[in-house]
Amino acid sequence: MKLILLGAPGAGKGTQAEIISEKYGIPTISTGNIIRAALKEGTEMGLRAKAYTDKGELVPDDVVIGIIRERLGADDCKNGFILDGFPRTIPQAEALDKMGIAVDAALSIEVDDGEIVNRMSGRRVCPACGASFHTEYKKPAKEGVCDACGEDIVIRKDDEPETVLNRLKVYHDQTEPLKSFYKAKGKLIEVEGQDKVADTTALVLKALSVI
Ligand code: ADP
Ligand code: ZN
């Protein structure tokens, strides 16, 4: 299965991606996680991206398209993959088409802006492995510590309130048009994001079972 996850920042794409990935045995490719890893390592790409991610702006298309082209060529993508955070603009979606990649579905997780702002304030991430948590909705077993690897979890810099508002604007302006793009191809599936992670998962898995 080749799947794209769409939805506002904080809609729960990463959380659902982890679950789908396990269930279907396919890797999740998160451009956000790849960019954060590059930032942490201080690579040239990371340094170039930092100016954009800190402000909640999108990293230039050519940078992320390059990342994806390289990553999708890896062996573990042969049986399918989940794209979390790519494409995020029409040119990125067109680049995917040009790579000859036809996705089975673009699953959009719908959540209101007000709810997004509320959620982002409680979001925590693991700086070591990228796993995501929430102080209310997805608590780690031990407070402040990553379930997967034991590292201390942190607030992402771009989850600060002003940056979140800008990211929502960027989402509506640049990413939301992708829904029409995939709808026109008959590939769009919309799911209402629920308060509980497990309730959203149930809707997501039901939607995926028919493709
Ligand atoms: P979000 O919670 O907003 O979905 P991500 O972890 O997916 O966050 O991405 C964090 C940041 O990385 C984005 O705000 C953006 O600056 C950059 N980024 C990630 N994916 C892309 C992409 N496909 N195109 C451009 N920039 C991207
Ligand atoms: Zn971790």
Side-chain angles (χ1 to χ4, degrees):
M1 177 160 61
K2 301 189 190 87
L3 184 68
I4 289 172
L5 293 183
L6 296 175
K13 300 185 296 291
T15 303
Q16 297 303 327
E18 282 174 38
I19 298 166
I20 304 166
S21 167
E22 188 135 321
K23 191 170 159 73
Y24 287 81
I26 50 177
T28 296
I29 298 158
S30 158
T31 42
N33 283 350
I34 294 171
I35 291 167
R36 278 185 291 279
L39 248 151
K40 214 176 126 189
E41 285 163 26
T43 66
E44 200 190 317
M45 188 271 281
L47 293 175
R48 208 180 145 197
K50 187 174 162 49
Y52 302 94
T53 57
D54 279 358
K55 284 184 289 186
E57 301 288 339
L58 294 182
V59 171
D61 286 334
D62 62 324
V63 176
V64 278
I65 290 166
I67 292 173
I68 286 293
R69 182 176 287 120
E70 194 183 313
R71 183 63 187 85
L72 291 183
D75 262 5
D76 66 337
C77 292
K78 284 209 178 96
N79 297 320
F81 48 78
I82 304 161
L83 292 177
D84 167 15
F86 185 96
R88 232 173 169 107
T89 64
I90 297 281
Q92 291 178 19
E94 288 168 348
L96 203 56
D97 283 350
K98 281 192 208 112
M99 288 176 216
I101 290 163
V103 298
D104 298 297
L107 181 86
S108 177
I109 303 176
E110 304 292 320
V111 177
D112 294 343
D113 284 8
E115 176 61 19
I116 293 288
V117 172
N118 180 26
R119 284 186 188 187
M120 299 293 240
S121 62
R123 181 150 86 162
R124 300 292 181 272
V125 294
C126 173
C129 76
S132 60
F133 302 91
H134 195 281
T135 52
E136 272 176 68
Y137 309 116
K138 196 189 172 201
K139 295 181 185 174
K142 184 168 176 239
E143 197 185 322
V145 176
C146 176
D147 287 345
C149 74
E151 190 83 14
D152 285 347
I153 55 179
V154 300
I155 300 178
R156 252 169 56 181
K157 189 165 185 204
D158 61 349
D159 278 347
E160 278 155 24
E162 325 77 77
T163 315
V164 167
L165 293 179
N166 193 37
R167 284 161 68 199
L168 274 172
K169 184 179 182 312
V170 169
Y171 169 73
H172 290 300
D173 291 349
Q174 301 195 53
T175 307
E176 214 169 19
L178 288 176
K179 283 164 60 181
S180 310
F181 182 92
Y182 286 108
K183 193 170 190 172
K185 292 176 186 283
K187 299 294 181 192
L188 182 70
I189 302 174
E190 288 173 280
V191 163
E192 286 293 325
Q194 307 293 309
D195 286 346
K196 291 211 178 83
V197 170
D199 292 344
T200 305
T201 301
L203 293 177
V204 165
L205 294 180
K206 190 171 160 226
L208 294 182
S209 70
V210 301
I211 60 166

